[in-house]
Amino acid sequence: MKYLVLLLAVLLIVGAIYAQNINDLFPEVKSLKEEDEMDLRGMAYNETQPPVNNPNQFRGYRIGLLASHCFEECELTFPYIYFARRGAQVDVIGPWWTKDNKIAACEFVRVTRWAKRNLDFKQAQNIKYDALIVVGGVWSSTVVRNDGDAIQLLKNQYQNGRLVATVCSGSTVLINANLITPRMPLTGSPSIAIDLSNAGGNYLDVPTVRHQNIITGRSPQGNDSLLFCQAIDKYLTEMKFLWEDDE
């Protein structure tokens, strides 16, 4: 009887330890296929590029895309391809600490591909950009808005009268950069509308908003990505900001 009680006690202890095993409580994701089966990519977006009428339209222009890990894939790839196909030099700018100069793209929370980082935020401060675009993705936006070098880069861009553009959750970066003025019209993901309003802005649920040298985009849904790029296209065409203008 004594040994039976002891055995039962041991079994209970082992059972308790087994029950607290992290792999049993929280099973690991086994494959990317499993992630796809669980719909971790989120919704599909329209990423159809429009025809290119002039492949040299932005020859001599330099555009920077600010991002960190888990940026929303199409919010970087769409403007990258749009402006590169029209002759612009496009840089991906990210944190200095990303390994092997790689930044992970995501669709919702599913990592999908790598983007090559051309410059970090501090290095980019030495470059004259015709436009800086802050892409969305909640984790990416959180990193960018809390990076002092990224904020300084955007402040310099704005104060020099050059274009600052943000899309989706990327618009929260404007809060940390103190670029939102009272009742300033702007847009971004509806999920951050209250944040933009609390910062003093006038949130508009529309695809794009232009205010002085700031353009904000709502989201990658529907034709929003295309309309966002076209708004930047129109601004740059009107302003004709080339590098040599400041030399």
Side-chain angles (χ1 to χ4, degrees):
M1 186 66 177
K2 177 180 178 181
Y3 293 108
L4 180 60
V5 172
L6 181 60
L7 177 61
L8 288 173
V10 170
L11 290 174
L12 287 173
I13 293 172
V14 171
I17 294 173
Y18 180 80
Q20 293 175 22
N21 184 296
I22 188 170
N23 290 325
D24 295 305
L25 292 170
F26 307 101
E28 291 183 345
V29 176
K30 298 298 182 182
S31 66
L32 295 179
K33 180 181 178 181
E34 182 182 1
E35 291 189 18
D36 289 341
E37 290 172 348
M38 298 302 293
D39 294 329
L40 297 188
R41 285 181 181 264
M43 67 178 67
Y45 296 122
N46 175 21
E47 299 179 51
T48 304
Q49 291 281 340
V52 178
N53 296 321
N54 181 3
N56 296 309
Q57 179 182 356
F58 293 113
R59 183 74 62 190
Y61 286 68
R62 194 163 183 177
I63 295 172
L65 295 160
L66 279 69
S68 185
H69 286 316
C70 219
F71 64 85
E72 187 65 35
E73 180 186 312
C74 65
E75 293 177 21
L76 184 143
T77 58
F78 195 99
Y80 187 105
I81 294 171
Y82 182 97
F83 290 104
R85 284 182 175 177
R86 289 160 178 78
Q89 178 177 344
V90 184
D91 294 333
V92 175
I93 309 170
W96 63 268
W97 43 261
T98 55
K99 188 175 181 180
D100 296 331
N101 295 332
K102 291 181 178 180
I103 303 177
C106 289
E107 289 183 346
F108 191 40
V109 295
R110 158 71 148 79
V111 176
T112 53
R113 60 181 77 240
W114 296 106
K116 178 184 177 182
R117 173 173 60 79
N118 304 110
L119 297 164
D120 64 41
F121 298 131
K122 192 171 186 64
Q123 291 170 332
Q125 293 176 23
N126 298 317
I127 307 297
K128 296 176 182 177
Y129 284 101
D130 298 285
L132 288 177
I133 303 171
V134 183
V135 305
V138 176
W139 175 242
S140 175
S141 303
T142 299
V143 171
V144 175
R145 69 184 294 193
N146 287 288
D147 188 295
D149 290 329
I151 295 302
Q152 191 59 54
L153 173 62
L154 292 167
K155 285 184 174 181
N156 293 345
Q157 178 82 353
Y158 177 78
Q159 291 166 1
N160 288 329
R162 291 176 174 265
L163 180 61
V164 172
T166 64
V167 62
C168 202
S169 62
S171 293
T172 58
V173 177
L174 297 174
I175 299 173
N176 293 55
N178 293 318
L179 296 182
I180 299 178
T181 55
R183 301 303 299 163
M184 168 183 159
L186 77 173
T187 192
S189 170
S191 65
I192 64 169
I194 190 169
D195 302 286
L196 299 177
S197 296
N198 287 341
N202 177 23
Y203 178 82
L204 303 175
D205 190 9
V206 295
T208 64
V209 177
R210 174 175 166 179
H211 177 75
Q212 298 176 359
N213 57 322
I214 295 178
I215 291 176
T216 49
R218 180 173 56 188
S219 75
Q221 297 184 39
N223 288 322
D224 280 14
S225 290
L226 175 58
L227 294 172
F228 178 62
C229 287
Q230 288 176 333
I232 297 171
D233 182 322
K234 182 179 179 181
Y235 180 95
L236 293 176
T237 301
E238 289 177 355
M239 302 303 292
K240 299 186 183 301
F241 276 153
L242 294 174
W243 267 3
E244 54 264 29
D245 289 344
D246 288 341
E247 294 182 351

